Amino acid sequence: MDFILEPIEVRVLASLLEKEITTPEYYPLTLNALVNACNQKSNRDPVVAYEEDEVYATLGCLRERGLSLTIVPSGSRVNKYAHRLSDVFNLGRRESAILCTLMLRGPQTLGEIHTRSERMHTFSGLAEVEAVLERLSVFEPQPLAVKLPRQPGWKEPRYTHLLSGEIDMAAPEAQPEAPRREDRLTALEAEVAELKRQFADFRRQFE
């Protein structure tokens, strides 16, 4: 079971997984809802503009690999679609949240992953996020994530998923000219969340 997925396949699977966790009342998704989820301008990097026929064809490819399902609701003429990623890899809630974040947003630091995964799972801190990433890096039947070497211009190493194949660890990543406002804000949010957690632990020691 050695999957190497195209970018559109990664986006379709991740969008299905995200909506299953964050809006279960609307899951499985119609084709139109799935296209909108793939093309969201928030919580996506890169932002894409897939057409309906592209997403529909991708669902067929994923179904052949056993990674998606077509569901025909009773009394409805509109098919709905679901993923099988969690079943195929036996993913828990923590693993699903982090893998989904990597699939939707590309390479990220621990702090970014921690903050951006909060909608899907509440982690106790960066140590827990790192432990889950380490587990994903030795996952069977194939590793699902990897820690990238720290590149010039980056204070911290970043992590990425491996569903699109192995990463050339020797190839340099694009070096940013300056941190984006969003990246600075995300890092600050992660630091504040970690400080709150540490303060809560400190208070509990004296209660």
Side-chain angles (χ1 to χ4, degrees):
M1 185 164 50
D2 188 14
F3 299 121
I4 298 180
L5 303 179
E6 296 296 326
I8 188 172
E9 293 176 316
V10 171
R11 178 60 58 89
V12 167
L13 278 176
S15 298
L16 287 169
L17 178 57
E18 179 197 43
K19 298 307 179 185
E20 178 192 26
I21 298 172
T22 59
T23 56
E25 65 274 20
Y26 299 115
Y27 182 83
L29 302 182
T30 64
L31 180 58
N32 181 64
L34 177 55
V35 172
N36 290 336
C38 289
N39 295 341
Q40 271 184 217
K41 293 184 179 180
S42 61
N43 302 315
R44 302 288 188 269
D45 189 9
V47 173
V48 298
Y50 294 135
E51 298 291 339
E52 189 171 285
D53 57 345
E54 293 179 284
V55 174
Y56 183 76
T58 299
L59 285 166
C61 295
L62 292 171
R63 186 170 57 249
E64 292 176 0
R65 298 183 186 206
L67 292 171
S68 73
L69 292 170
T70 300
I71 299 171
V72 183
S74 177
S76 174
R77 292 180 294 178
V78 179
N79 291 343
K80 293 191 174 183
Y81 302 92
H83 73 89
R84 295 195 66 248
L85 193 63
S86 299
D87 296 331
V88 169
F89 288 104
N90 193 26
L91 298 174
R93 187 64 173 259
R94 299 187 308 165
E95 291 80 13
S96 294
I98 287 180
L99 185 61
C100 184
T101 300
L102 292 175
M103 293 168 71
L104 288 175
R105 302 292 292 263
Q108 297 161 73
T109 65
L110 278 177
E112 290 170 333
I113 296 168
H114 179 249
T115 300
R116 293 166 178 172
S117 299
E118 282 292 314
R119 297 174 303 117
M120 293 178 278
H121 182 81
T122 301
F123 291 93
S124 60
L126 298 184
E128 185 183 9
V129 173
E130 187 173 22
V132 175
L133 284 162
E134 289 177 358
R135 182 165 182 261
L136 289 172
S137 71
V138 294
F139 218 75
E140 295 293 344
Q142 68 184 72
L144 298 177
V146 66
K147 182 179 182 179
L148 299 171
R150 188 173 66 84
Q151 298 295 321
W154 294 95
K155 289 186 177 181
E156 302 175 53
R158 298 192 294 169
Y159 297 78
T160 191
H161 71 85
L162 290 174
L163 290 172
S164 294
E166 293 292 330
I167 303 297
D168 183 359
M169 304 295 277
E173 294 183 81
Q175 182 175 341
E177 294 180 1
R180 293 179 301 176
R181 181 179 182 278
E182 179 187 356
D183 293 335
R184 295 198 302 270
L185 180 60
T186 298
L188 287 172
E189 288 174 344
E191 290 178 10
V192 170
E194 183 66 11
L195 287 171
K196 286 182 178 179
R197 184 192 66 79
Q198 293 177 5
F199 180 69
D201 290 343
F202 179 77
R203 288 187 60 183
R204 281 196 292 269
Q205 294 177 10
F206 295 93
E207 291 178 351

